Amino acid sequence: MNLKETEYVKGTNELQLHCPICNFEYTHLKEVKTNLNKENRLEVILSFECEEQHVFEHRIHNHKGYTLITNGKEKF
């Protein structure tokens, strides 16, 4: 995920999400889905589109006690 510690929104603890394809900072959440993964654990899939029309996803899921967020990748 292209979240950079140097890119906090001023005065907050929020990080800006950048498109992993073109690094543009204007992105829009398009869809939220849930799914049971192969370990029968819930995962959340966030679909985004940047203003350059690149579509990508981030997934939040658990594995062996850890909560993981996948790097964004182009959605086909």
Side-chain angles (χ1 to χ4, degrees):
M1 182 179 315
N2 287 343
L3 294 176
K4 302 172 185 172
E5 288 187 29
T6 58
E7 298 190 30
Y8 277 95
V9 176
K10 188 173 184 170
T12 73
N13 66 346
E14 298 174 321
L15 292 168
Q16 292 177 344
L17 177 67
H18 289 236
C19 174
I21 300 155
C22 68
N23 202 37
F24 197 46
E25 67 269 16
Y26 294 162
T27 60
H28 306 280
L29 182 61
K30 300 303 270 183
E31 184 178 22
V32 177
K33 297 183 283 187
T34 58
N35 185 40
L36 286 178
N37 66 18
K38 61 184 176 187
E39 296 173 347
N40 204 29
R41 294 193 176 146
L42 186 65
E43 66 180 0
V44 178
I45 302 147
L46 305 171
S47 297
F48 296 90
E49 182 176 22
C50 81
E51 289 195 1
E52 297 293 327
Q53 281 74 51
H54 297 121
V55 178
F56 60 98
E57 292 182 341
H58 291 294
R59 294 172 184 257
I60 302 170
H61 62 280
N62 294 107
H63 178 68
K64 296 186 178 181
Y66 296 102
T67 299
L68 306 171
I69 302 174
T70 63
N71 284 331
K73 59 183 173 182
E74 191 166 356
K75 184 178 178 181
F76 299 102

